């Protein structure tokens, strides 16, 4: 199924969307909420069946990521790219086979003792000087991560 939409860039006035708003939109390659300040302080939406190479940028103000945005499979490699704003403090769902960009020097906290809430098999871009913070936060899967300081 294709919705015909390839890219969605939300304006700064956008604050909320319904749960299944973009499900099965196989042509969708990019969703950018980075100019928005979200009504809620948590992200709990999952977007299924988008294009194989998919980029997502979270809205400003999100502090808790409760659900993984997109579920790439191992065969897609690191085709899913996700950019987290500096406000993110907690990951409650892991990201696997993805490319992740963190903009805060302080790593978000993953659910303690749950390796599924920690990124795994990912390229992880982090600000220079923040390696210790991210290494410590993601230690349960650190051997599967490729950290790149920028």
């Amino acid at each position: 199924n294709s919705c015909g939409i390839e890219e969605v860039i939300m304006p700064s006035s956008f604050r909320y969307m319904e749960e299944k708003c973009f499900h099965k939109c196989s042509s969708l390659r990019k969703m950018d909420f980075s100019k928005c300040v979200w009504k809620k302080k948590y992200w709990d939406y999952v977007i299924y069946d988008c294009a194989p190479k998919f980029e997502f940028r979270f809205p400003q103000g999100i502090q808790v990521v409760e659900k993984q945005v997109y579920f790439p499979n191992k065969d897609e490699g690191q085709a899913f790219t996700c950019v987290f704003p500096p406000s993110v403090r907690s990951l409650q769902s892991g990201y696997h086979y993805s490319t992740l960009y963190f903009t805060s020097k302080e790593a978000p906290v993953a659910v303690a003792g749950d390796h599924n809430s920690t990124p795994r098999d990912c390229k992880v871009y982090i600000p220079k000087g923040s390696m210790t913070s991210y290494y410590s936060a993601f230690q349960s899967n650190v051997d599967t991560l490729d950290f790149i300081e920028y």
Side-chain angles (χ1 to χ4, degrees), residues 122-141:
C122 293
K123 275 188 182 175
V124 182
Y125 288 84
I126 57 175
K128 280 198 185 305
S130 61
M131 184 66 78
T132 301
S133 176
Y134 283 86
Y135 194 90
S136 177
F138 302 154
Q139 64 184 320
S140 62
N141 290 328

Side-chain angles (χ1 to χ4, degrees), residues 11-148:
S12 61
S13 60
F14 191 79
R15 299 284 181 265
Y16 179 80
M17 74 177 187
E18 291 296 321
E19 171 67 32
K20 295 185 178 183
C21 192
F22 293 99
H23 279 356
K24 300 190 183 283
C25 187
S26 62
S27 57
L28 189 59
R29 295 177 120 359
K30 180 179 181 180
M31 291 186 76
D32 186 345
F33 290 85
S34 64
K35 292 180 177 36
C36 305
V37 177
W38 214 236
K39 182 173 136 179
K40 302 184 287 184
K41 294 296 180 195
Y42 58 92
W43 184 266
D44 62 350
Y45 302 100
V46 178
I47 299 158
Y48 293 102
D49 301 324
C50 296
K53 289 189 181 259
F54 181 66
E55 179 182 328
F56 185 86
R57 293 176 179 267
F58 279 100
Q60 298 299 315
I62 293 291
Q63 295 176 358
V64 178
V65 177
E66 289 184 355
K67 295 181 181 176
Q68 183 167 336
V69 173
Y70 176 69
F71 292 90
N73 66 50
K74 191 173 187 173
D75 297 333
E76 291 175 0
Q78 292 162 334
F80 172 60
T81 300
C82 191
V83 180
F84 296 89
S87 57
V88 171
R89 295 288 169 246
S90 175
L91 293 179
Q92 296 181 4
S93 180
Y95 283 81
H96 313 300
Y97 314 115
S98 302
T99 299
L100 309 176
Y101 287 86
F102 289 94
T103 54
S104 174
K105 285 193 170 193
E106 184 180 330
V109 176
V111 176
D114 181 2
H115 75 278
N116 289 320
S117 72
T118 308
R120 183 178 69 223
D121 299 306
C122 293
K123 275 188 182 175
V124 182
Y125 288 84
I126 57 175
K128 280 198 185 305
S130 61
M131 184 66 78
T132 301
S133 176
Y134 283 86
Y135 194 90
S136 177
F138 302 154
Q139 64 184 320
S140 62
N141 290 328
V142 78
D143 59 326
T144 72
L145 301 174
D146 182 13
F147 287 105
I148 301 147

